[in-house]
Amino acid sequence: MASTLISAKLPPDVDPTKAPIAFGRRALPKLSREIQSPELLTQQRALMALCDLVHDPENVYQAVQIGFLENLKTLLLHHDSTVRQKTTEILYIMAMHNVGRQGLIQNAVIPVLTELLDDPEDICRKNTHQVLDMMAKLPEGAVDILHAGLIPLLVVRLKTESDEIQELILGTLSNCLRMEASEALATDAITILKEKLTHPSATIRNKAAQVILEIGTHPEGKSTVCEEVIPLLVSLLEDTDPEVQASAAGALMFATIKPKGRCLALRAEAIPRLLKLVAVENSKARLSAIKTLTMLAEVAEGRRKLLERTDIFQQCLRDPSEAVKRAAEIAIRVIRWKPF
Amino acid sequence: MRSAFPALPRDGCLGALQPRRCGSGSPLRPPPCCLPCARRRRRPPPCPTPTAALPAPCPPALSTEHRWRPTSRECPKHAALPECIHHPNAFEIQRQREARRKALARKRAEEQIQLRTPEPVEGREHVHVQTELYLEEISDRIIEVDVECQTDAFLDRPPTPFFVPAKTGRDVATQIEEGELFDFDIEVKPILEVLVGKTIEQALLEVMEEEELAKLLAHQRAYAELRNAELAEVQRLEEQDRRYREEKERCKQQQMEMLQKEKETMEKIAAQAFAKRYLTDLIPSVFNNLHESGFFYDPIERDIETEFLPWLMTEVEETLEKKTLGRVMLDSLIRTVTEKRLDVFSQKPLPDQVEAPAEEHRPTDNAPQVAAETEAADQAVTADEETDQPAAEDQASHHITFQSEEANQEAMEDSETD
C-alpha cells in the first residue's frame, strides 16, 4: 500500500516523450550517451528528461563535471528545431545557477550562441537571449559577451525583434555596458535607445532608461547622452510607471555630472519634477532624485532655486533607508555651500 | 498417440503389404510409402534378433526397404511451434540412423549366414527342396486375403471425467456482499493523497524557484541602485574636485601672472630711473658737443658769413678784375697806339693832325659807349677772363676812350689804396 510520506525523489512519471532516467548517479551519464546517439527520437527524449533534471543544482554540478556542455554545444547547431529549442532551454536553466554559469564560461559556449541569434524559430531565439541575459549578470559573463563581439549584433536586433526579446536584449545590454560602452556608442546605440524611451510598453522604457544609465557611467558616454537624451529623460520623470521614473532619475543622475548636462537639465525644467519625486515616499526614485538634485545644486542657478526648498530634504533625513539619509545630508550641504 | 500397427503375418514372409488405407488418419502422419518388395526365393531366415516386440519405437523389420517413417507422436499443437518440431526430427533421424545401422549389421550377418552354404559339387546342383512333412505349394503368388481393419478416426481423447470425490464434511455457504472486500473511497484516499501531494510538491518547488529568482532579482536591483547612487556620488565628487582643482590652478596661474607683472613693473621702474639719471648728463653734454661742433649757429651771423661776405668778396674780385682788365686794356691800347704812332712816325708826319680831331670826337661819342662797354667788360671779366683779349681787340678802336677811363681807374685805385 502506498504510504503518505512524501519522498525526496520526484514522482515517477510515465511521460512517453521523456527518456527513462537511470537511478541515482547513473542518470546523467546515461543521458549523455543517449544524446550522442544518431537517432533523432532518442536525442529528443533524452533532452526532455535532462530538461527536468537540470532544475536541481546538484545535477547541474554533475552535468558540468561529466562534460555535458561539450555535447550540448554540438547540439546547438542541430538541424532539428526541437533539439535546438530544448538545448537552449537546458542552457538557460543551467545558467540560473552559478555553477552552470561558470561552466558555460569555461566551455566557451557563448561564441556558439552567436550563431543562434538568427535562428528561424522564435522560441530558440528567446531562450538564447535568456541565456545571454543570465550570463551578463555575472561580471565574467559580461566580459565574455563583450569579447565575443555580441554588442553590435544585439544593438542591431533591438530594432527588429519582438517586445519580449527586446526586454531581454535591453537587460543584457545594460549589464554589459556597465563594463565598457565604446562598442555600443560606435554602433549608434543612443539613437535606437531614444526611440525605445517612447515605446508604449513600460518595461521597455524602464530597461532602455537603465541602458542609458549604464552608458552614462562612462566619460565618453556622458557627452553623447548629454547632447541628445536629456530632454527625453526629463519628460520621462513624469511617466505613469514608478519604475520608469526611477530609471529616468538614475540616468539623469549620471548625465548631469558634466556641467553641460547640468545646464541642459536646468533648462529643461528638471528641478520641479525631481522635487516631486523626492516628496513621494517611494524609495526607488527617491535616492536617484536626491542625487540628481545634488548634481544640479552644484550650479549657482540650481542652488538658488533649491535654497527655498530645503524642507523637502529635511524630510528625507527621516527615511528608514540609510542611503537616502546620507544622500539627503550631502544634498543639504551642497545646497548651502557658498563660494566664500 | 501411438497408431496401432497391423499385425505382421505370422509366416514371416513379408509380402508386399498393401498400403494401409487410413480413412481419416492424422493429417500429419504421412502415409507409409509402399516400396516394392524384393522377391526372395528362399525364405529368409528368421532374423536373429527378436522382433516380436512390436510396440518398439521403430519396427525392426529385416527388410529394410520398408522404411517406416516413425509416426510423429506429437500433438498437433506442438507442430505449430517451430521449436518443438525440431527435436522429434533429430530424434527421428537418430532413430533412423540406428535402424539403418542395425539393418546393415543384420545384412552382413545374413550374408555370412548365406556364405556358410558350401558350393555344389561338380555335376550336382543345389536345389531348393522342401523337407517338411507336408509339402507346400510354393508359388509366387501367395494367396492373399485382404483383411482390413481400421481404427476409428482419430478422436480426441475424451476428457477425463471430473473426479468428484465423495462428499465429506459439512456444507457451509458464505457470500461476499458488494462493498465488503473493497471500498473504493477508502482505498483511493492514500493514493490520492500521494498524487495530490506529489503534484503540489512539484508545483511548490517550481513556485519557490520562481520566487527565489524574483527575490534575487529584487535584491540585485536594490544593490544596483545603491551602487549607481554611490558611483554617481563618486563621479560628482570627482567632478567637483576637478572643478576645484582647476579653479585653484587658475587662481594660482593668475597670481603668478600678477607677480610676474609686478616684477616686470618694478624692473621697468628701476630701469626707467636709472636711465633717467644716466641721461640727465647726456643732454647737456650733447648740447655742448653740438654747440662746439657748430650745429647751433646765429642765423644772421651765418647768413652774413655764408652769403654776404662771399658776395662781397666776389664783388671785390670783380671790381679788382675790372680794374686789372682796364689796366690790361689800357696797356694794350697804349701799345697799339704807340705801335701805330710808331708806324705813322715812321711813314708820314702829316696825318697826325687829322687823327687828333677824329680822336677828340671819338671820346665824346664813345663816352656812353665806354660806360656801357666797361659794364660789359666788367661782366665779361667776371664771366671769363679769357675774353680779355677779344674784348681788348674790340676796344682797340676805342683806345682813346680809355684815357678817360684810365683816369677814372686811377681815381678808383687811389680810393682803394686809401
Side-chain angles (χ1 to χ4, degrees):
Chain A
M1 203 82 112
S3 79
T4 51
L5 286 175
I6 295 181
S7 77
K9 284 175 39 173
L10 295 170
D13 45 6
V14 269
D15 192 351
T17 60
K18 287 197 218 153
I21 303 176
F23 183 79
R25 262 187 332 133
R26 294 300 309 162
L28 283 173
K30 176 167 177 282
L31 284 176
S32 123
R33 266 205 316 280
E34 281 184 12
I35 272 183
Q36 291 167 7
S37 94
E39 201 189 288
L40 183 62
L41 185 64
T42 327
Q43 280 179 330
Q44 285 177 344
R45 293 180 70 189
L47 281 174
M48 304 268 316
L50 186 60
C51 205
D52 278 343
L53 279 180
V54 129
H55 279 269
D56 187 3
E58 302 206 4
N59 286 333
V60 173
Y61 175 72
Q62 193 187 359
V64 171
Q65 289 293 100
I66 63 177
F68 230 115
L69 285 165
E70 288 298 326
N71 298 337
L72 290 176
K73 257 200 319 196
T74 354
L75 281 178
L76 273 175
L77 303 167
H78 203 267
H79 56 86
D80 181 42
S81 68
T82 321
V83 167
R84 282 201 307 266
Q85 173 200 337
K86 276 290 154 192
T87 314
T88 43
E89 206 177 314
I90 289 169
L91 284 175
Y92 169 52
I93 301 175
M94 284 177 91
M96 287 208 259
H97 302 287
N98 192 35
V99 181
R101 283 196 284 260
Q102 298 288 343
L104 284 177
I105 293 177
Q106 273 159 13
N107 282 292
V109 176
I110 293 185
V112 185
L113 281 174
T114 322
E115 317 275 331
L116 277 172
L117 282 177
D118 284 322
D119 199 281
E121 285 280 320
D122 276 342
I123 187 81
C124 288
R125 280 203 310 267
K126 179 159 173 248
N127 287 338
T128 311
H129 283 290
Q130 274 175 333
V131 175
L132 288 175
D133 191 22
M134 273 293 153
M135 289 307 298
K137 292 200 203 299
L138 196 66
E140 293 106 12
V143 166
D144 219 10
I145 294 181
L146 278 169
H147 282 319
L150 277 173
I151 308 278
L153 299 170
L154 289 173
V155 169
V156 162
R157 272 163 189 71
L158 259 184
K159 289 188 265 202
T160 50
E161 293 276 10
S162 71
D163 279 357
E164 272 182 354
I165 300 186
Q166 274 182 22
E167 290 175 21
L168 294 166
I169 295 180
L170 286 169
T172 320
L173 277 177
S174 80
N175 283 318
C176 289
L177 291 178
R178 200 175 289 159
M179 301 285 146
E180 203 196 339
S182 53
E183 281 184 42
L185 288 169
T187 54
D188 199 25
I190 299 260
T191 334
I192 304 177
L193 289 168
K194 261 197 334 191
E195 287 171 37
K196 301 294 168 207
L197 280 178
T198 48
H199 201 273
S201 153
T203 332
I204 290 194
R205 276 185 302 204
N206 183 17
K207 290 198 185 257
Q210 278 175 0
V211 178
I212 293 184
L213 193 158
E214 299 294 343
I215 292 181
T217 47
H218 301 274
E220 64 269 9
K222 276 202 251 284
S223 30
T224 332
V225 169
C226 285
E227 285 158 26
E228 305 185 20
V229 194
I230 288 193
L232 263 177
L233 287 173
V234 173
S235 67
L236 273 182
L237 284 174
E238 296 188 314
D239 199 272
T240 44
D241 190 26
E243 300 259 343
V244 179
Q245 287 172 347
S247 307
L252 269 176
M253 183 167 73
F254 280 99
T256 49
I257 288 180
K258 280 220 166 130
K260 190 165 152 209
R262 273 182 225 155
C263 300
L264 281 170
L266 277 172
R267 246 180 278 153
E269 302 288 327
I271 294 195
R273 301 175 206 205
L274 287 167
L275 284 171
K276 246 191 298 184
L277 279 179
V278 174
V280 170
E281 287 289 327
N282 174 20
S283 67
K284 265 185 256 189
R286 234 184 179 188
L287 187 56
S288 314
I290 295 178
K291 283 279 177 229
T292 320
L293 284 170
T294 318
M295 307 287 170
L296 290 174
E298 299 260 337
V299 188
E301 230 182 80
R303 263 204 298 276
R304 224 194 339 254
K305 286 196 199 158
L306 286 170
L307 261 176
E308 311 145 11
R309 310 298 304 272
T310 46
D311 53 325
I312 298 187
F313 294 102
Q314 301 285 353
Q315 231 180 14
C316 292
L317 281 174
R318 290 193 293 272
D319 194 277
S321 155
E322 179 64 43
V324 174
K325 269 193 259 192
R326 234 190 354 239
E329 282 172 33
I330 295 175
I332 294 178
R333 200 170 52 222
V334 170
I335 293 177
R336 295 211 177 125
W337 180 79
K338 290 199 192 301
F340 45 86
Chain B
M1 194 144 113
R2 210 129 189 43
S3 57
F5 282 103
L8 285 173
R10 279 206 160 262
D11 61 0
C13 172
L14 298 171
L17 283 174
Q18 300 289 351
R20 227 165 35 80
R21 270 181 241 115
C22 37
S24 57
S26 162
L28 291 177
R29 202 174 62 77
C33 47
C34 173
L35 294 171
C37 144
R39 303 261 171 84
R40 299 193 191 276
R41 289 239 199 100
R42 51 185 165 80
R43 197 184 295 176
C47 43
T49 57
T51 57
L54 270 176
C58 69
L62 193 59
S63 61
T64 59
E65 294 88 334
H66 300 285
R67 304 225 173 181
W68 293 96
R69 282 259 183 102
T71 57
S72 53
R73 300 180 62 190
E74 57 276 359
C75 321
K77 69 173 180 193
H78 286 298
L81 294 174
E83 299 138 348
C84 301
I85 286 177
H86 284 298
H87 290 301
N89 274 346
F91 199 50
E92 272 180 25
I93 291 167
Q94 215 178 7
R95 270 191 264 151
Q96 282 171 5
R97 270 202 223 116
E98 278 180 32
R100 269 187 237 126
R101 254 187 267 127
K102 282 185 191 160
L104 272 171
R106 271 173 217 130
K107 200 174 177 183
R108 276 193 219 107
E110 185 206 291
E111 281 181 0
Q112 279 187 352
I113 292 167
Q114 282 176 359
L115 284 167
R116 276 202 217 119
T117 320
E119 292 295 300
V121 179
E122 220 178 74
R124 299 197 185 208
E125 79 178 82
H126 282 304
V127 170
H128 286 276
V129 157
Q130 290 187 13
T131 53
E132 264 91 31
L133 217 51
Y134 300 103
L135 286 173
E136 268 179 36
E137 185 191 339
I138 300 179
S139 66
D140 280 344
R141 208 154 178 298
I142 300 167
I143 300 168
E144 291 174 354
V145 173
D146 281 327
V147 170
E148 275 180 30
C149 98
Q150 174 70 37
T151 55
D152 292 331
F154 275 120
L155 294 168
D156 283 337
R157 183 170 176 276
T160 339
F162 239 36
F163 171 62
V164 182
K167 188 163 162 275
T168 55
R170 290 177 44 212
D171 275 335
V172 176
T174 176
Q175 172 72 25
I176 294 177
E177 306 291 333
E178 196 176 307
E180 279 184 12
L181 268 186
F182 176 77
D183 182 14
F184 178 75
D185 291 331
I186 299 176
E187 294 305 322
V188 93
K189 244 169 83 173
I191 299 179
L192 259 186
E193 276 180 18
V194 168
L195 270 178
V196 170
K198 296 277 189 197
T199 319
I200 293 187
E201 192 188 351
Q202 179 76 1
L204 256 178
L205 280 173
E206 290 182 12
V207 166
M208 267 169 23
E209 200 176 334
E210 302 248 331
E211 227 183 72
E212 190 183 349
L213 277 178
K215 268 225 172 72
L216 282 175
L217 224 63
H219 193 73
Q220 270 172 359
R221 240 180 283 145
Y223 168 72
E225 210 184 298
L226 213 63
R227 180 184 167 279
N228 284 339
E230 289 299 315
L231 191 64
E233 183 65 23
V234 162
Q235 289 186 347
R236 180 188 75 87
L237 287 172
E238 263 177 20
E239 177 73 23
Q240 208 185 42
D241 184 50
R242 183 189 69 89
R243 268 204 340 268
Y244 287 171
R245 226 178 318 126
E246 270 183 21
E247 194 65 37
K248 236 194 300 187
E249 281 298 319
R250 231 179 304 142
C251 277
K252 259 202 308 206
Q253 201 73 5
Q254 265 179 359
Q255 198 69 7
M256 289 216 351
E257 277 175 25
M258 226 171 62
L259 280 174
Q260 188 79 2
K261 274 212 176 87
E262 257 188 48
K263 210 168 99 172
E264 262 178 53
T265 330
M266 265 176 45
E267 278 180 11
K268 272 190 188 159
I269 293 173
Q272 196 203 22
F274 171 72
K276 218 172 181 176
R277 204 186 60 81
Y278 183 67
L279 290 175
T280 41
D281 274 341
L282 183 64
I283 293 181
S285 69
V286 161
F287 274 125
N288 273 336
N289 284 343
L290 284 176
H291 203 72
E292 280 167 24
S293 52
F295 280 98
F296 300 117
Y297 50 87
D298 190 9
I300 298 170
E301 213 181 299
R302 189 63 175 269
D303 203 26
I304 293 176
E305 277 180 22
T306 45
E307 285 176 26
F308 179 65
L309 286 177
W311 174 79
L312 193 64
M313 293 307 294
T314 39
E315 290 297 312
V316 165
E317 271 181 38
E318 268 182 37
T319 322
L320 285 174
E321 275 186 25
K322 269 190 219 161
K323 281 200 176 151
T324 340
L325 186 63
R327 284 200 193 111
V328 163
M329 291 299 294
L330 194 62
D331 284 339
S332 64
L333 263 175
I334 292 172
R335 199 163 155 210
T336 41
V337 163
T338 38
E339 281 178 6
K340 276 188 183 168
R341 279 198 179 154
L342 198 60
D343 287 335
V344 167
F345 279 135
S346 54
Q347 292 169 6
K348 305 166 188 181
L350 270 155
D352 258 338
Q353 288 167 354
V354 180
E355 282 181 18
E359 289 172 10
E360 283 169 3
H361 281 292
R362 278 190 205 137
T364 50
D365 290 330
N366 293 337
Q369 287 182 0
V370 168
E373 284 171 356
T374 49
E375 286 175 6
D378 277 338
Q379 288 170 0
V381 162
T382 51
D384 196 356
E385 281 184 26
E386 290 180 8
T387 56
D388 271 353
Q389 285 299 320
E393 288 177 359
D394 283 338
Q395 291 172 1
S397 56
H398 308 297
H399 53 85
I400 294 172
T401 53
F402 285 103
Q403 285 174 354
S404 56
E405 188 61 39
E406 196 180 14
N408 286 341
Q409 282 182 352
E410 282 178 355
M412 279 187 75
E413 274 184 6
D414 290 344
S415 65
E416 257 202 319
T417 50
D418 288 346

